[in-house]
């Protein structure tokens, strides 16, 4: 056999080492990952095709004793102390410029435990080999390369999303020095499937049922399930088949890869119904990461959508010591249980892991409005809170060390400030370079500008809109930012109840006359919430919007201007029920 170009002796040595571990006897005795996770022994015989009581809609399956070049067993040696450490799933080769990619189900690797001796054996077939050993490896064994598993961050979370139950892996050469596609020929072609085309007329399903180690094959039509999974009815696909491919245009060796057993209930709870997560842009993204050898996803430091559905208030400012040094925006969030968290900006249009500023506290559930600015003259921002009883508290120099320890009461409980529905701090024309001006929207729709607020209280006051006007009662979120010019006085971003989105420039001089419309009425923005603005990437200009959408979806719109919302960057995907 001809060695592939560029293969090193070390890679060959590693393949030889894995071959010594994965003897034919160990491969034959390996149990399905699904069976171990579900507490089964995984060694029962496959159910007979066409068993009594089955509907004719369930297509019969047949074993392929000769094996399939592009489909194989995916071997895993678990280090979790289980009595059955040698485990397996099914997998398939994917054609790529690297000649070394494999696709399987993400749940085959997502157990929270470490693995080793992970390998792909394409074309594996059970039964006795010509040398009398159990099973044959016609193309050899291909070790998974260390750290080369691309799994969507949503599946890596504590609540894995079944929409992305797929993993792309890169394997090294076999012990003969051959890359995967040099040994087996062209792999399967990864093919995106739109949600409207999950129903397909002829798809071949293959996989290795536990206790058999001979690939099972079945061809049937597929249909959409819940609008996000592909469903196929084929007999005998018990534990072990996870990761097995859905192939369209299958010629007996390869085809178009349109799915992999997984997704809903990790592939289904019945031996005659199998599922696949939809192969959309998410799987293409992982494939492209693998081709370009990009860094795999990591667990989202922001948590998942289930958490963000409990966010009640969000403000931005420069709080963390690193952010103050680098003039970067951070996010402070108050949660429904009264906890307060600080998320440092990462200067790359994202946020880092949260720092608790205040533990869960029913008292903080009474914080009805919050904003952040430079009220005390220090480069570290301060947090201004309006409580349910009208009290105003200024927390000076909030950072990862001080947290909320430096409190100054600007106003005691009072009847007036109970009616302040929204407070927005910024640089709105107070005559200095600090973000110490405050725009207040009152319950009667009056709009007021207070300039040069500091640790001693509120001073000069200017009415921007009269009480009981017919416009400002429809305002929802507001934020200060640099949307028109990079420096100077800031602009006021407003989201309205009907979905209109507006930016007002130069409030002190022009009031609300200089209006820029970013989104028309009846836009999707009527469903957004907790909109705030900061400098999260692309320089120190405070022009990056963060918005919370239904389902806990958190989105950043980088480099927004007075003419257009910026590029959408997904920080936390929406929860899918």
């Amino acid at each position: 056999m001809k060695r592939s170009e560029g293969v090193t002796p070390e890679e060959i040595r590693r393949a030889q080492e894995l071959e010594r571990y994965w003897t034919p006897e160990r491969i034959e005795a390996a149990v399905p990952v699904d069976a171990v996770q579900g507490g089964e022994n995984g060694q029962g015989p496959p159910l007979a095709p066409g068993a009594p009581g089955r509907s004719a809609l369930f297509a019969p399956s047949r074993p392929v004793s000769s094996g399939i070049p592009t489909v194989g067993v995916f071997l895993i040696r678990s280090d979790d102390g289980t009595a059955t450490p040698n485990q397996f799933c099914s997998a398939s080769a994917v054609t790529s410029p690297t000649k070394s990619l494999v696709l399987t189900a993400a749940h085959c690797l997502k157990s929270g435990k470490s693995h080793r001796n992970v390998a792909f054996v394409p074309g594996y077939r059970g039964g006795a080999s010509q040398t009398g050993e159990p099973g044959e490896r016609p193309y050899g064994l291909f070790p998974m390369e260390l750290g080369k598993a691309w799994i969507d961050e949503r599946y890596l979370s504590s609540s894995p999303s079944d929409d992305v139950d797929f993993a792309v892996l890169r394997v090294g050469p076999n012990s003969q020095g051959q890359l995967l596609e040099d040994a087996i020929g062209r792999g399967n072609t990864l093919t995106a499937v739109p949600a409207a085309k999950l129903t397909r007329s002829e798809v071949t399903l293959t996989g290795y049922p536990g206790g058999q180690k001979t690939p099972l094959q079945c061809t049937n039509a597929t249909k959409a399930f819940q609008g996000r999974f592909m469903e196929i009815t084929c007999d005998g696909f018990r534990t072990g088949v996870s990761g097995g491919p859905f192939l369209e245009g299958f010629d007996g060796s390869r085809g178009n890869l349109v799915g992999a057993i997984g997704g809903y209930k990790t592939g289904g709870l019945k031996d005659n119904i199998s599922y696949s997560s939809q192969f959309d842009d998410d799987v293409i993204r992982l494939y492209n990461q693998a081709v370009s050898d990009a860094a795999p996803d990591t667990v989202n430091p922001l948590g998942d959508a289930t958490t963000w559905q409990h966010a009640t208030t969000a403000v931005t400012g420069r709080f963390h010591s690193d952010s103050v040094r680098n003039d970067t925006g951070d996010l402070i969030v108050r949660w429904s249980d009264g906890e307060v968290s600080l998320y440092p900006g990462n200067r790359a249009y994202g946020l880092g892991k949260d720092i608790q500023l205040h533990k869960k506290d029913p008292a903080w559930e009474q914080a009805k409005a919050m904003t952040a600015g430079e009220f005390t003259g220090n480069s570290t921002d301060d947090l201004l809170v309006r409580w349910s009883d009208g009290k105003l508290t200024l927390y000076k120099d909030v950072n990862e060390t001080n947290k909320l320890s430096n409190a100054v009461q600007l106003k005691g409980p009072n009847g007036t400030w109970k009616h302040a529905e929204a407070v927005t701090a910024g640089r709105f024309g107070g005559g200095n370079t600090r973000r110490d001006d405050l725009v207040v929207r009152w319950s009667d729709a009056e709009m007021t500008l207070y300039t040069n607020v500091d640790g001693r209280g509120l001073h000069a006051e200017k009415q921007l809109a009269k009480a009981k006007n017919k416009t400002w009662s429809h305002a929802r979120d507001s934020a200060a930012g640099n949307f028109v010019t990079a420096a100077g006085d800031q602009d006021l971003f407003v989201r309205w109840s009907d979905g209109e989105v507006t930016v007002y420039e130069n409030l002190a001089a022009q009031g609300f006359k200089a209006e820029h419309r970013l989104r028309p009425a009846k836009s999707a923005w009527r469903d957004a919430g907790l909109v705030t603005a900061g400098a999260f990437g692309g320089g120190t200009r405070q022009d990056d919007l963060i918005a919370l959408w239904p389902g806990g979806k958190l989105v950043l719109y980088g480099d927004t201007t007075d003419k257009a919302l910026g590029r959408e960057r997904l920080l936390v995907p929406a929860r899918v029920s």
Side-chain angles (χ1 to χ4, degrees):
M1 298 182 181
K2 183 180 178 182
R3 181 184 297 187
S4 298
E5 184 177 350
V7 172
T8 66
E10 174 60 24
E11 289 175 314
I12 293 175
R13 186 202 62 76
R14 183 160 183 263
Q16 292 171 339
E17 181 181 322
L18 258 69
E19 280 188 348
R20 285 192 291 273
Y21 179 79
W22 286 112
T23 62
E25 291 78 15
R26 279 199 175 114
I27 297 176
E28 183 184 41
V31 300
V33 169
D34 294 317
V36 174
Q37 293 174 352
E40 306 170 22
N41 61 28
Q43 290 297 321
L47 296 178
R54 292 277 169 82
S55 164
L57 294 176
F58 295 100
S61 304
R62 65 179 183 86
V64 184
S65 58
S66 60
I68 302 168
T70 60
V71 181
V73 290
F74 179 60
L75 302 171
I76 301 168
R77 181 183 177 185
S78 175
D79 277 348
D80 63 359
T82 179
T84 53
N86 297 324
Q87 301 167 16
F88 79 96
C89 274
S90 300
S92 60
V94 184
T95 191
S96 77
T98 71
K99 297 184 178 182
S100 301
L101 299 187
V102 173
L103 190 143
T104 188
H107 73 259
C108 293
L109 288 170
K110 174 67 168 60
S111 65
K113 306 292 184 180
S114 60
H115 305 101
R116 54 178 170 154
N117 298 107
V118 180
F120 177 56
V121 187
Y124 183 82
R125 46 187 179 245
S129 69
Q130 293 179 357
T131 60
E133 295 177 330
E136 288 189 357
R137 302 174 296 192
Y139 306 102
L141 178 151
F142 297 81
M144 191 185 92
E145 294 190 349
L146 184 64
K148 302 303 181 183
W150 287 268
I151 300 175
D152 194 290
E153 65 182 25
R154 287 165 287 178
Y155 208 88
L156 295 171
S157 72
S158 57
S159 301
S161 170
D162 53 12
D163 278 334
V164 287
D165 188 6
F166 34 65
V168 180
L169 319 167
R170 195 171 80 191
V171 295
N174 60 17
S175 61
Q176 303 299 313
Q178 293 179 302
L179 297 177
L180 177 61
E181 289 189 81
D182 285 339
I184 67 170
R186 180 175 55 84
N188 299 301
T189 302
L190 185 62
T191 304
V193 179
K197 295 185 178 180
L198 289 167
T199 298
R200 306 177 89 82
S201 61
E202 188 173 292
V203 171
T204 298
L205 187 68
T206 63
Y208 285 79
Q212 187 169 340
K213 300 294 193 320
T214 292
L216 201 62
Q217 178 178 309
C218 162
T219 300
N220 204 353
T222 66
K223 65 179 182 180
F225 179 73
Q226 295 185 352
R228 56 195 179 97
F229 301 107
M230 185 180 288
E231 176 187 300
I232 192 169
T233 52
C234 284
D235 279 323
F237 277 75
R238 57 179 284 107
T239 53
V241 298
S242 285
F246 285 58
L247 296 170
E248 194 170 49
F250 182 61
D251 65 4
S253 296
R254 54 191 53 82
N256 295 323
L257 183 59
V258 296
I261 299 174
Y264 178 72
K265 303 297 183 183
T266 60
L269 300 179
K270 299 179 180 179
D271 295 340
N272 52 14
I273 303 177
S274 299
Y275 299 91
S276 170
S277 300
Q278 181 191 345
F279 271 26
D280 54 11
D281 290 344
D282 295 321
V283 73
I284 300 299
R285 180 180 70 87
L286 296 184
Y287 171 82
N288 289 335
Q289 283 183 332
V291 169
S292 61
D293 199 25
D297 289 4
T298 57
V299 176
N300 192 339
L302 305 184
D304 57 26
T306 303
T307 298
W308 284 88
Q309 286 179 310
H310 297 286
T312 56
T313 311
V315 300
T316 54
R318 294 169 302 179
F319 303 107
H320 195 279
S321 300
D322 289 340
S323 299
V324 173
R325 278 195 300 271
N326 298 304
D327 207 9
T328 301
D330 305 319
L331 185 71
I332 286 181
V333 178
R334 181 181 72 82
W335 306 94
S336 59
D337 61 4
E339 184 177 355
V340 183
S341 302
L342 166 65
Y343 291 88
N346 65 6
R347 288 183 284 166
Y349 301 100
L351 300 166
K353 182 172 175 53
D354 66 301
I355 298 167
Q356 187 184 67
L357 296 181
H358 202 284
K359 63 183 180 180
K360 298 176 183 178
D361 185 350
W364 270 85
E365 295 177 28
Q366 303 306 311
K368 299 303 180 182
M370 293 168 49
T371 191
E374 297 175 85
F375 301 114
T376 59
N378 194 311
S379 55
T380 301
D381 280 352
D382 315 301
L383 187 67
L384 180 65
V385 179
R386 193 277 289 180
W387 302 89
S388 60
D389 61 1
K391 182 173 62 177
L392 284 182
T393 304
L394 184 65
Y395 294 91
K396 297 169 55 178
D397 302 336
V398 177
N399 62 23
E400 70 278 15
T401 302
N402 298 335
K403 298 188 176 180
L404 300 173
S405 61
N406 300 330
V408 176
Q409 184 170 292
L410 299 186
K411 284 187 178 293
N414 66 89
T416 300
W417 280 83
K418 282 185 179 180
H419 299 287
E421 290 196 342
V423 291
T424 307
R427 192 170 54 250
F428 294 122
N432 59 41
T433 60
R434 296 201 336 232
R435 290 178 294 108
D436 58 0
D437 308 317
L438 196 66
V439 172
V440 180
R441 176 168 55 85
W442 303 90
S443 59
D444 62 1
E446 182 182 2
M447 297 291 291
T448 305
L449 172 64
Y450 296 88
T451 54
N452 303 329
V453 177
D454 58 26
R456 292 172 295 141
L458 286 74
H459 307 294
E461 176 182 353
K462 177 181 180 179
Q463 188 182 62
L464 298 176
K466 294 181 179 180
K468 299 181 180 180
N469 66 79
K470 296 181 180 179
T471 299
W472 285 91
S473 61
H474 300 288
R476 293 298 178 260
D477 304 300
S478 57
N482 302 99
F483 305 112
V484 179
T485 58
D489 289 345
Q490 292 185 303
D491 317 302
L492 185 70
F493 172 97
V494 180
R495 181 186 70 87
W496 302 89
S497 60
D498 63 358
E500 184 177 347
V501 174
T502 307
V503 165
Y504 296 94
E505 66 171 302
N506 200 1
L507 289 184
Q510 300 191 58
F512 299 120
K513 295 178 182 178
E515 177 182 354
H516 304 267
R517 183 176 297 172
L518 300 185
R519 283 289 184 272
K522 299 182 181 180
S523 81
W525 276 74
R526 59 188 168 190
D527 297 322
L530 306 188
V531 183
T532 186
F536 296 104
T540 60
R541 180 171 172 153
Q542 196 170 329
D543 58 0
D544 306 315
L545 295 171
I546 290 179
L548 183 65
W549 292 82
K553 177 181 176 182
L554 193 68
V555 179
L556 184 144
Y557 301 85
D559 305 318
T560 295
T561 69
D562 60 312
K563 296 180 174 58
L565 292 168
R567 173 188 168 190
E568 181 174 328
R569 300 169 189 266
L570 185 65
L571 300 180
V572 177
R575 180 176 181 269
V576 179
S577 58

